[in-house]
Amino acid sequence: MTLAAMAAPVLAEPLTVSNWDGYMAADAIDTFNAATGNEAELVLHATNEEIMGKLIASKGAGYDVVFVSSPFAEVLHNLGLAEELDHDKIPNIANLYTEATELPHDPGNVFSLPYAWGTTGLCYRSDLVAEPTSWYDLLEPTETVSGKTTMLATDRWLLAAGQLALGYSVNETDPDKMAEVRDLLIKAKGTLLAYDDTTFYAKLVSGEAELVQAWDGWCNYGIGENADITYMIPTEGSDLWVDTMVILKASEHKDAAYAFVNYILDAENHRWAAENILYKVPNKAAMDGVDPALIETYPNMGMAPADMLKFEQLRDVGAAQRDYSRLVSEIKAN
């Protein structure tokens, strides 16, 4: 976006934005400040859980805009910490796909704005293993693949593999069904190379791993280094994951916060995420500008929003989150 396109009354407000490292352009804050006259700063969080702990402890004070996955945005809303959004202050919301305004966690984008979205499936070396079809290809691998698989370490996605394999909701809370999920994942643990949220694609590139559970965008990092790496969604399905932007109700710089999220939703700015972190973004104007060659190289980036919404979105499970954490501890301890 040009500075002229951002022309607006100079707000000259400080602003604190919390995001994951590398999840937006390195110069995004500087460019935003130059365009608006603000004094925004970026602070990093490594996990949803890390930033949520800080936000809950401070009741949102000290932060203006946070990037969190949708179940955590839902928690912020349920705790009364998320600002109810004034869409008149976010004209670039018009760039979103219709489907991005119909997400189950927040129909109508009342308290959150989607930043990136996608699926979770299997990422594999097509030159080393037969094409998988089911989550059981990962959870009960053949002898030749056993010891060369990884699963995501984060609670919700680790559990989702078992939930989907058994035909259950990715938000299932029934104790008996979740006990089945636990037992299946404990059995699978004995076949794993590792639980890995960050380097699994590198393990595929090196051949140390041959079949892994992966977020689609992270599988793309492997595909970029080895064309034999392929992404697929098992027959039992995927979750729909959504990363969002939330303005905190406690923010003392609301005008600047609105200006920032509107800046991110500009087609050119939002397209940066698709082209550089290789995640689909829920911004039609941005995706329409992506080079078709990129989607040819990374086919999962071409998935239609309507097809993604066929999968169940991860939701806030309330008090059952403690049960989830306990189950994951049991799985990893066995």
Side-chain angles (χ1 to χ4, degrees), residues 197-218:
D197 278 0
T198 56
T199 65
F200 53 82
Y201 70 92
K203 290 181 171 70
L204 284 177
V205 172
S206 70
E208 183 182 5
E210 297 180 358
L211 173 66
V212 303
Q213 181 188 15
W215 296 296
D216 47 7
W218 283 70

Side-chain angles (χ1 to χ4, degrees), residues 128-129 136-151 187-196 200 203-204 206-212:
L128 300 178
V129 298
Y136 282 101
D137 290 315
L138 175 72
L139 300 175
E140 296 178 354
T142 63
E143 250 184 65
T144 56
V145 179
S146 182
K148 300 174 183 177
T149 61
T150 71
M151 293 187 69
K187 181 181 176 184
K189 181 187 174 184
T191 69
L192 293 178
L193 171 66
Y195 294 111
D196 187 346
F200 53 82
K203 290 181 171 70
L204 284 177
S206 70
E208 183 182 5
E210 297 180 358
L211 173 66
V212 303

Side-chain angles (χ1 to χ4, degrees), residues 11-17 32 36 38-41 60-65 83 89 246-261:
L11 303 174
E13 290 190 59
L15 187 76
T16 299
V17 177
F32 169 75
T36 64
N38 282 292
E39 299 173 354
E41 67 167 347
Y63 294 88
D64 300 290
V65 179
E83 175 77 358
K89 295 182 178 180
V246 175
I247 295 175
L248 278 304
K249 187 175 290 187
S251 167
E252 296 179 359
H253 314 107
K254 294 277 174 53
D255 286 342
Y258 276 108
F260 180 80
V261 297

